[in-house]
PDB file of all heavy atoms in Angstrom:
ATOM      1  N   LYS A  63      14.112  -2.273   5.523  1.00 87.00           N
ATOM      2  CA  LYS A  63      13.153  -2.453   4.411  1.00 87.00           C
ATOM      3  C   LYS A  63      12.031  -3.332   4.884  1.00 87.00           C
ATOM      4  O   LYS A  63      12.151  -4.004   5.919  1.00 87.00           O
ATOM      5  CB  LYS A  63      13.825  -3.037   3.194  1.00 87.00           C
ATOM      6  CG  LYS A  63      14.460  -4.361   3.398  1.00 87.00           C
ATOM      7  CD  LYS A  63      15.197  -4.821   2.154  1.00 87.00           C
ATOM      8  CE  LYS A  63      15.927  -6.117   2.400  1.00 87.00           C
ATOM      9  NZ  LYS A  63      16.615  -6.589   1.225  1.00 87.00           N
ATOM     10  N   VAL A  64      10.947  -3.316   4.158  1.00 88.00           N
ATOM     11  CA  VAL A  64       9.770  -4.151   4.467  1.00 88.00           C
ATOM     12  C   VAL A  64       9.471  -4.944   3.203  1.00 88.00           C
ATOM     13  O   VAL A  64       9.136  -4.365   2.184  1.00 88.00           O
ATOM     14  CB  VAL A  64       8.589  -3.273   4.882  1.00 88.00           C
ATOM     15  CG1 VAL A  64       7.349  -4.150   5.143  1.00 88.00           C
ATOM     16  CG2 VAL A  64       8.921  -2.468   6.130  1.00 88.00           C
ATOM     17  N   PRO A  65       9.600  -6.270   3.266  1.00 86.00           N
ATOM     18  CA  PRO A  65       9.459  -7.089   2.056  1.00 86.00           C
ATOM     19  C   PRO A  65       8.168  -6.853   1.281  1.00 86.00           C
ATOM     20  O   PRO A  65       8.174  -6.876   0.045  1.00 86.00           O
ATOM     21  CB  PRO A  65       9.498  -8.517   2.603  1.00 86.00           C
ATOM     22  CG  PRO A  65      10.304  -8.433   3.847  1.00 86.00           C
ATOM     23  CD  PRO A  65       9.966  -7.097   4.430  1.00 86.00           C
ATOM     24  N   ARG A  66       7.062  -6.570   1.925  1.00 82.00           N
ATOM     25  CA  ARG A  66       5.808  -6.427   1.184  1.00 82.00           C
ATOM     26  C   ARG A  66       5.738  -5.136   0.345  1.00 82.00           C
ATOM     27  O   ARG A  66       4.859  -5.016  -0.491  1.00 82.00           O
ATOM     28  CB  ARG A  66       4.615  -6.536   2.119  1.00 82.00           C
ATOM     29  CG  ARG A  66       4.372  -5.372   3.039  1.00 82.00           C
ATOM     30  CD  ARG A  66       3.147  -5.658   3.938  1.00 82.00           C
ATOM     31  NE  ARG A  66       2.887  -4.508   4.773  1.00 82.00           N
ATOM     32  CZ  ARG A  66       2.044  -3.540   4.471  1.00 82.00           C
ATOM     33  NH1 ARG A  66       1.379  -3.569   3.352  1.00 82.00           N
ATOM     34  NH2 ARG A  66       1.880  -2.523   5.285  1.00 82.00           N
ATOM     35  N   VAL A  67       6.663  -4.207   0.575  1.00 80.00           N
ATOM     36  CA  VAL A  67       6.657  -2.982  -0.241  1.00 80.00           C
ATOM     37  C   VAL A  67       7.893  -2.867  -1.132  1.00 80.00           C
ATOM     38  O   VAL A  67       8.077  -1.877  -1.829  1.00 80.00           O
ATOM     39  CB  VAL A  67       6.496  -1.685   0.610  1.00 80.00           C
ATOM     40  CG1 VAL A  67       5.193  -1.679   1.333  1.00 80.00           C
ATOM     41  CG2 VAL A  67       7.672  -1.522   1.532  1.00 80.00           C
ATOM     42  N   GLY A  68       8.754  -3.851  -1.109  1.00 69.00           N
ATOM     43  CA  GLY A  68       9.939  -3.834  -1.960  1.00 69.00           C
ATOM     44  C   GLY A  68      11.076  -2.974  -1.383  1.00 69.00           C
ATOM     45  O   GLY A  68      11.140  -2.740  -0.187  1.00 69.00           O
ATOM     46  N   LYS A  69      11.906  -2.503  -2.267  1.00 67.00           N
ATOM     47  CA  LYS A  69      13.122  -1.783  -1.829  1.00 67.00           C
ATOM     48  C   LYS A  69      12.843  -0.355  -1.376  1.00 67.00           C
ATOM     49  O   LYS A  69      13.578   0.196  -0.576  1.00 67.00           O
ATOM     50  CB  LYS A  69      14.125  -1.749  -2.973  1.00 67.00           C
ATOM     51  CG  LYS A  69      14.706  -3.107  -3.295  1.00 67.00           C
ATOM     52  CD  LYS A  69      15.758  -3.009  -4.377  1.00 67.00           C
ATOM     53  CE  LYS A  69      16.336  -4.396  -4.657  1.00 67.00           C
ATOM     54  NZ  LYS A  69      17.413  -4.360  -5.608  1.00 67.00           N
ATOM     55  N   SER A  70      11.808   0.287  -1.916  1.00 76.00           N
ATOM     56  CA  SER A  70      11.517   1.671  -1.560  1.00 76.00           C
ATOM     57  C   SER A  70      10.630   1.716  -0.335  1.00 76.00           C
ATOM     58  O   SER A  70       9.551   1.117  -0.335  1.00 76.00           O
ATOM     59  CB  SER A  70      10.853   2.377  -2.740  1.00 76.00           C
ATOM     60  OG  SER A  70      10.455   3.670  -2.338  1.00 76.00           O
ATOM     61  N   TYR A  71      11.031   2.466   0.661  1.00 79.00           N
ATOM     62  CA  TYR A  71      10.222   2.577   1.872  1.00 79.00           C
ATOM     63  C   TYR A  71       9.392   3.846   1.836  1.00 79.00           C
ATOM     64  O   TYR A  71       8.622   4.115   2.767  1.00 79.00           O
ATOM     65  CB  TYR A  71      11.050   2.504   3.128  1.00 79.00           C
ATOM     66  CG  TYR A  71      12.106   3.554   3.204  1.00 79.00           C
ATOM     67  CD1 TYR A  71      11.831   4.866   3.552  1.00 79.00           C
ATOM     68  CD2 TYR A  71      13.459   3.252   2.934  1.00 79.00           C
ATOM     69  CE1 TYR A  71      12.790   5.838   3.597  1.00 79.00           C
ATOM     70  CE2 TYR A  71      14.437   4.222   3.001  1.00 79.00           C
ATOM     71  CZ  TYR A  71      14.102   5.511   3.339  1.00 79.00           C
ATOM     72  OH  TYR A  71      15.070   6.479   3.395  1.00 79.00           O
ATOM     73  N   GLY A  72       9.483   4.656   0.801  1.00 83.00           N
ATOM     74  CA  GLY A  72       8.761   5.933   0.758  1.00 83.00           C
ATOM     75  C   GLY A  72       7.272   5.817   0.971  1.00 83.00           C
ATOM     76  O   GLY A  72       6.658   6.697   1.595  1.00 83.00           O
ATOM     77  N   GLU A  73       6.680   4.749   0.494  1.00 85.00           N
ATOM     78  CA  GLU A  73       5.237   4.599   0.665  1.00 85.00           C
ATOM     79  C   GLU A  73       4.831   4.255   2.100  1.00 85.00           C
ATOM     80  O   GLU A  73       3.661   4.291   2.442  1.00 85.00           O
ATOM     81  CB  GLU A  73       4.654   3.599  -0.307  1.00 85.00           C
ATOM     82  CG  GLU A  73       5.105   2.167  -0.062  1.00 85.00           C
ATOM     83  CD  GLU A  73       4.627   1.223  -1.172  1.00 85.00           C
ATOM     84  OE1 GLU A  73       5.249   1.239  -2.255  1.00 85.00           O
ATOM     85  OE2 GLU A  73       3.654   0.516  -0.924  1.00 85.00           O
ATOM     86  N   LEU A  74       5.810   3.942   2.928  1.00 90.00           N
ATOM     87  CA  LEU A  74       5.524   3.671   4.339  1.00 90.00           C
ATOM     88  C   LEU A  74       5.468   4.948   5.179  1.00 90.00           C
ATOM     89  O   LEU A  74       4.967   4.933   6.285  1.00 90.00           O
ATOM     90  CB  LEU A  74       6.601   2.740   4.938  1.00 90.00           C
ATOM     91  CG  LEU A  74       6.636   1.334   4.333  1.00 90.00           C
ATOM     92  CD1 LEU A  74       7.878   0.613   4.843  1.00 90.00           C
ATOM     93  CD2 LEU A  74       5.388   0.588   4.671  1.00 90.00           C
ATOM     94  N   ILE A  75       5.955   6.058   4.615  1.00 91.00           N
ATOM     95  CA  ILE A  75       5.900   7.333   5.344  1.00 91.00           C
ATOM     96  C   ILE A  75       4.471   7.847   5.304  1.00 91.00           C
ATOM     97  O   ILE A  75       3.829   7.847   4.285  1.00 91.00           O
ATOM     98  CB  ILE A  75       6.866   8.342   4.697  1.00 91.00           C
ATOM     99  CG1 ILE A  75       8.316   7.817   4.779  1.00 91.00           C
ATOM    100  CG2 ILE A  75       6.748   9.699   5.386  1.00 91.00           C
ATOM    101  CD1 ILE A  75       9.319   8.660   4.050  1.00 91.00           C
ATOM    102  N   ALA A  76       3.982   8.239   6.474  1.00 91.00           N
ATOM    103  CA  ALA A  76       2.601   8.685   6.613  1.00 91.00           C
ATOM    104  C   ALA A  76       2.302   9.853   5.695  1.00 91.00           C
ATOM    105  O   ALA A  76       3.179  10.714   5.446  1.00 91.00           O
ATOM    106  CB  ALA A  76       2.322   9.085   8.071  1.00 91.00           C
ATOM    107  N   LEU A  77       1.084   9.879   5.178  1.00 91.00           N
ATOM    108  CA  LEU A  77       0.671  10.987   4.333  1.00 91.00           C
ATOM    109  C   LEU A  77       0.805  12.296   5.076  1.00 91.00           C
ATOM    110  O   LEU A  77       0.482  12.406   6.246  1.00 91.00           O
ATOM    111  CB  LEU A  77      -0.787  10.804   3.911  1.00 91.00           C
ATOM    112  CG  LEU A  77      -1.052   9.614   2.967  1.00 91.00           C
ATOM    113  CD1 LEU A  77      -2.538   9.470   2.736  1.00 91.00           C
ATOM    114  CD2 LEU A  77      -0.309   9.794   1.659  1.00 91.00           C
ATOM    115  N   GLY A  78       1.342  13.318   4.420  1.00 91.00           N
ATOM    116  CA  GLY A  78       1.535  14.612   5.027  1.00 91.00           C
ATOM    117  C   GLY A  78       2.828  14.756   5.809  1.00 91.00           C
ATOM    118  O   GLY A  78       3.107  15.789   6.360  1.00 91.00           O
ATOM    119  N   ARG A  79       3.611  13.719   5.888  1.00 93.00           N
ATOM    120  CA  ARG A  79       4.884  13.740   6.575  1.00 93.00           C
ATOM    121  C   ARG A  79       6.012  13.538   5.578  1.00 93.00           C
ATOM    122  O   ARG A  79       5.841  12.892   4.551  1.00 93.00           O
ATOM    123  CB  ARG A  79       4.986  12.635   7.645  1.00 93.00           C
ATOM    124  CG  ARG A  79       3.943  12.707   8.715  1.00 93.00           C
ATOM    125  CD  ARG A  79       4.203  13.898   9.582  1.00 93.00           C
ATOM    126  NE  ARG A  79       3.243  13.915  10.694  1.00 93.00           N
ATOM    127  CZ  ARG A  79       3.188  14.856  11.563  1.00 93.00           C
ATOM    128  NH1 ARG A  79       4.003  15.870  11.503  1.00 93.00           N
ATOM    129  NH2 ARG A  79       2.274  14.816  12.524  1.00 93.00           N
ATOM    130  N   ASP A  80       7.210  14.061   5.888  1.00 91.00           N
ATOM    131  CA  ASP A  80       8.355  13.872   5.021  1.00 91.00           C
ATOM    132  C   ASP A  80       9.378  12.929   5.602  1.00 91.00           C
ATOM    133  O   ASP A  80      10.368  12.597   4.972  1.00 91.00           O
ATOM    134  CB  ASP A  80       9.025  15.212   4.682  1.00 91.00           C
ATOM    135  CG  ASP A  80       9.625  15.888   5.883  1.00 91.00           C
ATOM    136  OD1 ASP A  80       9.321  15.462   7.004  1.00 91.00           O
ATOM    137  OD2 ASP A  80      10.385  16.862   5.686  1.00 91.00           O
ATOM    138  N   ARG A  81       9.094  12.434   6.842  1.00 93.00           N
ATOM    139  CA  ARG A  81      10.003  11.488   7.473  1.00 93.00           C
ATOM    140  C   ARG A  81       9.254  10.539   8.388  1.00 93.00           C
ATOM    141  O   ARG A  81       8.138  10.827   8.792  1.00 93.00           O
ATOM    142  CB  ARG A  81      11.093  12.233   8.265  1.00 93.00           C
ATOM    143  CG  ARG A  81      10.566  12.972   9.469  1.00 93.00           C
ATOM    144  CD  ARG A  81      11.640  13.717  10.249  1.00 93.00           C
ATOM    145  NE  ARG A  81      12.470  12.870  11.002  1.00 93.00           N
ATOM    146  CZ  ARG A  81      12.205  12.362  12.209  1.00 93.00           C
ATOM    147  NH1 ARG A  81      10.999  12.574  12.746  1.00 93.00           N
ATOM    148  NH2 ARG A  81      13.054  11.585  12.842  1.00 93.00           N
ATOM    149  N   MET A  82       9.923   9.437   8.686  1.00 95.00           N
ATOM    150  CA  MET A  82       9.393   8.481   9.677  1.00 95.00           C
ATOM    151  C   MET A  82      10.549   8.084  10.576  1.00 95.00           C
ATOM    152  O   MET A  82      11.714   8.160  10.232  1.00 95.00           O
ATOM    153  CB  MET A  82       8.818   7.256   8.968  1.00 95.00           C
ATOM    154  CG  MET A  82       9.822   6.432   8.217  1.00 95.00           C
ATOM    155  SD  MET A  82       8.990   4.998   7.507  1.00 95.00           S
ATOM    156  CE  MET A  82      10.271   4.438   6.400  1.00 95.00           C
ATOM    157  N   SER A  83      10.172   7.591  11.770  1.00 96.00           N
ATOM    158  CA  SER A  83      11.150   7.224  12.731  1.00 96.00           C
ATOM    159  C   SER A  83      10.629   6.011  13.514  1.00 96.00           C
ATOM    160  O   SER A  83       9.477   6.008  13.950  1.00 96.00           O
ATOM    161  CB  SER A  83      11.401   8.388  13.691  1.00 96.00           C
ATOM    162  OG  SER A  83      12.233   8.005  14.761  1.00 96.00           O
ATOM    163  N   ILE A  84      11.519   5.052  13.676  1.00 97.00           N
ATOM    164  CA  ILE A  84      11.196   3.850  14.470  1.00 97.00           C
ATOM    165  C   ILE A  84      12.316   3.648  15.447  1.00 97.00           C
ATOM    166  O   ILE A  84      13.511   3.690  15.099  1.00 97.00           O
ATOM    167  CB  ILE A  84      11.106   2.589  13.557  1.00 97.00           C
ATOM    168  CG1 ILE A  84      10.140   2.780  12.374  1.00 97.00           C
ATOM    169  CG2 ILE A  84      10.761   1.366  14.400  1.00 97.00           C
ATOM    170  CD1 ILE A  84       8.730   2.936  12.751  1.00 97.00           C
ATOM    171  N   VAL A  85      11.979   3.384  16.713  1.00 97.00           N
ATOM    172  CA  VAL A  85      12.959   3.022  17.739  1.00 97.00           C
ATOM    173  C   VAL A  85      12.506   1.683  18.313  1.00 97.00           C
ATOM    174  O   VAL A  85      11.369   1.577  18.768  1.00 97.00           O
ATOM    175  CB  VAL A  85      13.071   4.064  18.852  1.00 97.00           C
ATOM    176  CG1 VAL A  85      14.051   3.627  19.911  1.00 97.00           C
ATOM    177  CG2 VAL A  85      13.486   5.432  18.265  1.00 97.00           C
ATOM    178  N   LEU A  86      13.370   0.706  18.263  1.00 98.00           N
ATOM    179  CA  LEU A  86      13.059  -0.622  18.760  1.00 98.00           C
ATOM    180  C   LEU A  86      14.133  -1.045  19.749  1.00 98.00           C
ATOM    181  O   LEU A  86      15.309  -1.055  19.447  1.00 98.00           O
ATOM    182  CB  LEU A  86      13.021  -1.644  17.604  1.00 98.00           C
ATOM    183  CG  LEU A  86      12.827  -3.104  17.995  1.00 98.00           C
ATOM    184  CD1 LEU A  86      11.439  -3.333  18.604  1.00 98.00           C
ATOM    185  CD2 LEU A  86      13.050  -4.028  16.804  1.00 98.00           C
TER     186      LEU A  86
END
């Protein structure tokens, strides 16, 4: 999660995409 957007991460997904992926 990202504190500045709250519990829902849906708004972090890029426009036009249905998924996001992070590898750290």
Side-chain angles (χ1 to χ4, degrees):
K63 59 184 176 179
V64 177
R66 72 180 183 94
V67 298
K69 292 183 179 184
S70 174
Y71 59 77
E73 67 187 78
L74 295 171
I75 299 173
L77 293 175
R79 300 290 184 184
D80 65 348
R81 67 181 286 279
M82 64 178 168
S83 173
I84 307 293
V85 178
L86 175 67

